[in-house]
Amino acid sequence: MSNWYGETPTGWTVTKVSNLYEITLGKMLQPSKEEDDDIIKPYICAANLGNDTFNLSDLKQMWFSPKETERLSLKRGDLLVVEGGDVASSAIVDFDCPDVYFQNSIMRTRPKSNLPNDFLHYFLMFVRHCGYLDVICNKATISHFTKEKFSNLPLLVPPIDEQNEIVEVLKSKEEKINALIANEERQIEKLKEYKQALISETVTKGLDPDVPMKDSGVESIGYCPANWQLLRAKYVFESFSKGQGITKEQVVKGGDIDCVRYGEIYSKYDICISKCFSQTQLKLIPSQRFASYGDILFAGTGELIEEIGKNVVYLGDKKILVGGDIIIGKHSQDPRFLNYAMYCNASQAQKSKGKSKLKVVHISSEEISNILVVMPPIDEQKKLADYLDFKCSFIDELVEGHQRKIEKLVKYRQSLIYEYVTGKREVE
């Protein structure tokens, strides 16, 4: 035990969680009514939980039988712990909830005596980052912090008064740290909004405030320089084609060719790709679609209407394989400018127009080909792209600076929790 939390103060004991707490595992609930006496109630799923409190705004509805409502009920002060996925993530119920229940992959924890759930909550925050879970949880597929593993988890137990003191100190310090993190996150959000506005203004208005302007006739574009052309994308691009499926299993570290999958356009890349995140083996992909320098790649599938059809430009010097649900646009324009033009607010508004809020949102190559953009002469495209590359790079550096501050604050918060819940630091 000492290998993962070290020596402890005199007067502290070590016991299994199940000796002090009652643990109840949730149940997979059915999405429809089965019995006449079933009743519909709001429930909490694992996605609602994190290392913080939560509220009722995102709760879903599900049918419960009377037996389930009795066994799976919640009350203020309950500690909920995630069993699968983001394992050991926890949250304390901080609202009155006579009619709120919990689903599978969640364990409800209640003390058997007069113990604060808060100390266990902080102890689990320490456990999540100390490496212990890597040893006891199978990470081959999806990690599972099962009820059995949670029950047998060695728990450090200070005297009750000291537990309360530790919780109060950590709450106070965590509140201040969280406020600093929230401020950094607001600064990042403002910078991202400014970057998007800068791109949109530049690719629709140019940089010369004295140039003659004309009404484009497109609400999302507004006025544009008089010598720019308003064109549908089908007349700007030379062709559109679709990528071919590359499964997760076909992604091979150190493969013989770089590849791009549609989800990576949202999660791994911002505006351009110069080096790919993934590789595969050519022999594993029977149907192959390639992209070359300057091609613009559009995500044909996504989860958010406001992000559907996100595009990135490929600026690498070798051809790459393109996965399914990606639309490849080839052209003879300045690739960076055209990518900015298809990325701006005016183009995104057209991509999102008429889309319904479904589980998955799609956009077709035909829809992309009908997007209206304003195109300056090719020499001006390059100047505008150079300007945006410089400005966006500077903004990205500022964002990275704020992200580094957040990382330091998170590590500091983790170190404080570790020091207090293991007795390395005394409450002053």
Side-chain angles (χ1 to χ4, degrees), residues 272-306:
C272 73
I273 301 174
S274 55
K275 184 178 180 181
C276 289
F277 175 79
S278 300
Q279 299 83 41
T280 186
Q281 298 281 356
L282 272 171
K283 65 181 181 181
L284 299 177
I285 315 297
S287 299
Q288 300 167 354
R289 293 291 184 274
F290 297 96
S292 303
Y293 177 88
D295 289 347
I296 295 176
L297 309 179
F298 299 86
T301 300
E303 296 181 357
L304 300 175
I305 294 173
E306 56 270 24

Side-chain angles (χ1 to χ4, degrees), residues 93-145:
V93 178
D94 69 336
F95 51 82
D96 294 318
C97 46
D99 286 318
V100 179
Y101 306 89
F102 64 104
Q103 243 243 34
N104 68 311
S105 291
I106 293 178
M107 295 175 280
R108 183 192 65 199
T109 309
R110 288 176 176 170
K112 295 180 179 179
S113 58
N114 188 28
L115 287 172
N117 252 334
D118 306 75
F119 183 83
L120 177 58
H121 172 53
Y122 281 117
F123 188 80
L124 286 172
M125 291 173 73
F126 152 63
V127 168
R128 290 187 71 213
H129 300 288
C130 73
Y132 184 73
L133 293 178
D134 295 336
V135 177
I136 67 169
C137 294
N138 175 22
K139 294 219 169 193
T141 52
I142 298 176
S143 299
H144 283 283
F145 186 52

Side-chain angles (χ1 to χ4, degrees), residues 259-403:
C259 65
V260 177
R261 302 173 71 229
Y262 85 89
E264 295 171 352
I265 292 178
Y266 293 109
S267 62
K268 303 298 181 184
Y269 305 112
D270 182 16
I271 292 176
C272 73
I273 301 174
S274 55
K275 184 178 180 181
C276 289
F277 175 79
S278 300
Q279 299 83 41
T280 186
Q281 298 281 356
L282 272 171
K283 65 181 181 181
L284 299 177
I285 315 297
S287 299
Q288 300 167 354
R289 293 291 184 274
F290 297 96
S292 303
Y293 177 88
D295 289 347
I296 295 176
L297 309 179
F298 299 86
T301 300
E303 296 181 357
L304 300 175
I305 294 173
E306 56 270 24
E307 292 184 358
I308 188 61
K310 184 194 171 187
N311 53 283
V312 294
V313 59
Y314 177 59
L315 298 177
D317 55 2
K318 298 178 181 179
K319 67 179 183 180
I320 59 173
L321 273 177
V322 179
D325 286 327
I326 295 178
I327 298 163
I328 309 166
K330 293 186 176 293
H331 59 91
S332 299
Q333 309 296 318
D334 182 276
R336 297 167 302 146
F337 177 85
L338 182 55
N339 187 63
Y340 282 126
M342 298 300 293
Y343 182 90
C344 76
N345 290 334
S347 294
Q348 189 58 54
Q350 296 176 70
K351 294 175 190 175
S352 303
K353 187 176 181 181
K355 298 294 180 185
S356 301
K357 180 60 178 175
L358 301 171
K359 207 168 188 181
V360 178
V361 188
H362 298 281
I363 191 168
S364 66
S365 56
E366 182 180 0
E367 289 173 305
I368 290 175
S369 73
N370 281 314
I371 291 173
L372 287 161
V373 293
V374 283
M375 298 295 295
I378 192 74
D379 58 337
E380 191 172 355
Q381 290 181 31
K382 184 180 185 308
K383 291 178 183 178
L384 294 173
D386 288 342
Y387 170 80
L388 285 174
D389 283 352
F390 174 76
K391 296 290 286 187
C392 289
S393 177
F394 178 69
I395 294 169
D396 291 342
E397 287 179 9
L398 294 177
V399 169
E400 288 174 5
H402 288 292
Q403 289 172 336

Side-chain angles (χ1 to χ4, degrees), residues 147-194:
K147 180 182 176 181
E148 180 183 6
K149 291 173 182 174
F150 184 27
S151 298
N152 292 319
L153 177 72
L155 173 65
L156 291 175
V157 186
I160 186 67
D161 290 344
E162 195 169 349
Q163 285 191 42
N164 289 326
E165 291 174 353
I166 289 171
V167 167
E168 288 305 311
V169 169
L170 283 176
K171 281 184 177 180
S172 175
K173 291 182 179 293
E174 190 181 22
E175 184 179 352
K176 294 174 183 177
I177 294 171
N178 289 345
L180 293 173
I181 291 174
N183 181 62
E184 296 298 327
E185 290 173 340
R186 284 192 295 271
Q187 298 305 314
I188 289 174
E189 191 59 33
K190 288 179 181 178
L191 285 167
K192 288 181 176 179
E193 290 174 359
Y194 170 65

Side-chain angles (χ1 to χ4, degrees), residues 196-207 228 344-345 388:
Q196 189 68 37
L198 175 70
I199 292 170
S200 299
E201 182 76 10
T202 302
V203 300
T204 58
K205 305 292 183 287
L207 297 175
W228 291 21
C344 76
N345 290 334
L388 285 174

